[in-house]
Amino acid sequence: MSWMIRPPLDVVVRRREADEATARLLDRARRTGAATPIARGAYAASEAWARLNPRDAHAQRVWEAAARLRPGAVFSHYAAAAVLGIDLIGSWPRSIDVTTGTSAGSSGVIRRHHRALEADEVMPWGDHFLTTPARTVVDLASILPFVGGVVAADQALWQRRPSGALCSRHELEAAASRYGGRTHARVAAVAAFATDLSDSVRESESRVLIERLGFPVPTLQQRFVLPDGRHAFADFWWPDHDHIGEFDGTGKYLDPRIRRGRTPEQALIAEKDRGDALRRQVRALSRWRTPHLRSPRLLYDILRADGLPATRPRPGR
């Protein structure tokens, strides 16, 4: 979800805006743990804050920073990604990224990046600006490991995003071509590897690891027709080996938005039935979860045990 139009939280109490009665209530809520500080002088209900995922919490902090900065700031890197709705892997920083053409240094929670930006690399955002999705991706690709850059790029290109892709491949490649210096090769490699078919950050992470482990390049989001006529899209498909691979995320069982009214048990049974129907159509179906991505050897063992060939030896960890 994009947080460009409104922030993630509907209610934030800012001490500078509070009257005397509100300030007393705020102090009481802080003492009891009912209110949590989320930025300098800004507080949210602890329960509401705890429900936010790390990206959305960062987006809220960006909104708070925007309210304090003079008009015209250019939010970039992690800050722009959060507001644009680009998911990432790893932790989100406490600092807020701003890009400036001046030599002003970072201060407080604001982390300033010194780089000149062209007019078509920024977009209006209230009294401020955001770097465009393509520029945001290449900025992140310049400071993140390769897999982190690919995740950001895939997210921006994602064609099945409910509101549509954030940028086109042409825009991403153009942004990468402008990136000079020592990081140009890394940024260009991310842009070349990116796809618009990865439906989650873990699918993107899996795709990078599959390539690094020496497995064949898979077809993404291959459509299969189930016996009841429904369509199922496999995350990864190796047609030469009649082999499906799927990242089995827990969100489909735990996230109410994904379950769409079903209980976790109903979602689990439906996914098992879907997997069984797919397995009857192919020679092999492999499934893995997040822990298998933390240790490449685990994913390697799963795919090799299910018969998928690899050109590289088993990794040491």
Side-chain angles (χ1 to χ4, degrees):
M1 180 174 182
S2 169
W3 299 113
M4 288 188 63
I5 305 301
R6 60 180 179 85
L9 294 179
D10 294 326
V11 178
V12 172
V13 178
R14 301 175 182 88
R15 182 169 287 279
R16 67 180 182 276
E17 301 171 354
D19 56 27
E20 185 175 342
T22 302
R24 285 197 300 269
L25 291 173
L26 175 60
D27 289 338
R28 185 182 307 149
R30 291 180 60 195
R31 288 194 300 270
T32 62
T36 296
I38 62 173
R40 188 176 63 187
Y43 302 84
S46 296
E47 289 187 4
W49 181 250
R51 286 195 295 268
L52 295 183
N53 62 43
R55 183 202 66 189
D56 295 353
H58 195 72
Q60 184 67 49
R61 291 192 173 104
V62 177
W63 274 85
E64 297 306 314
R68 296 193 305 271
L69 291 178
R70 293 179 179 178
V74 179
F75 291 91
S76 61
H77 296 76
Y78 283 95
V83 174
L84 290 166
I86 295 175
D87 285 324
L88 302 172
I89 56 174
S91 59
W92 289 76
R94 293 284 299 183
S95 56
I96 304 299
D97 294 302
V98 170
T99 290
T100 175
T102 70
S103 58
S106 300
S107 59
V109 299
I110 302 300
R111 178 171 58 183
R112 290 182 171 85
H113 303 264
H114 309 296
R115 185 180 291 272
L117 293 170
E118 301 294 334
D120 62 352
E121 293 181 300
V122 298
M123 54 195 296
W125 182 51
D127 293 332
H128 302 289
F129 298 90
L130 296 173
T131 48
T132 62
R135 177 69 201 203
T136 300
V137 167
V138 297
D139 280 340
L140 288 169
S142 74
I143 63 173
L144 292 174
F146 179 75
V147 63
V150 168
V151 167
D154 285 1
Q155 280 284 297
L157 295 174
W158 183 29
Q159 68 174 7
R160 295 208 291 188
R161 179 181 291 273
S163 57
L166 297 177
C167 71
S168 67
R169 172 165 292 281
H170 172 74
E171 290 169 331
L172 178 59
E173 291 174 346
S177 69
R178 290 182 174 183
Y179 224 91
R182 292 175 296 176
T183 57
H184 171 74
R186 182 194 310 173
V187 169
V190 165
F193 193 81
T195 180
D196 60 3
L197 293 174
S198 281
D199 282 348
S200 73
V201 297
R202 297 305 177 189
E203 287 183 30
S204 297
E205 187 179 10
S206 298
R207 196 165 62 88
V208 173
L209 191 53
I210 286 167
E211 190 275 336
R212 286 181 171 173
L213 292 173
F215 291 105
V217 176
T219 298
L220 306 181
Q221 305 303 329
Q222 175 65 36
R223 183 176 63 180
F224 290 84
V225 180
L226 302 181
D228 62 5
R230 291 181 299 122
H231 292 171
F233 293 86
D235 298 339
F236 307 97
W237 164 239
W238 290 274
D240 291 345
H241 306 281
D242 200 21
H243 194 138
I244 287 175
E246 296 214 309
F247 173 78
D248 190 17
T250 58
K252 64 173 71 77
Y253 313 118
L254 303 178
D255 190 333
R257 294 170 299 180
I258 300 177
R259 295 204 314 262
R260 292 174 294 188
R262 299 178 299 180
T263 66
E265 293 78 8
Q266 289 171 328
L268 178 61
I269 292 171
E271 182 62 22
K272 181 183 183 303
D273 290 344
R274 172 186 174 277
D276 289 344
L278 285 173
R279 190 173 283 106
R280 286 190 286 269
Q281 296 189 41
V282 297
R283 183 194 61 80
L285 188 151
S286 302
R287 301 180 78 108
W288 58 89
R289 299 195 303 109
T290 301
H292 303 120
L293 301 178
R294 301 284 75 82
S295 178
R297 180 170 57 188
L298 297 179
L299 179 58
Y300 186 93
D301 288 346
I302 288 171
L303 293 175
R304 287 293 294 118
D306 289 337
L308 194 66
T311 59
R312 296 177 184 170
R314 184 175 187 255
R317 59 178 181 85

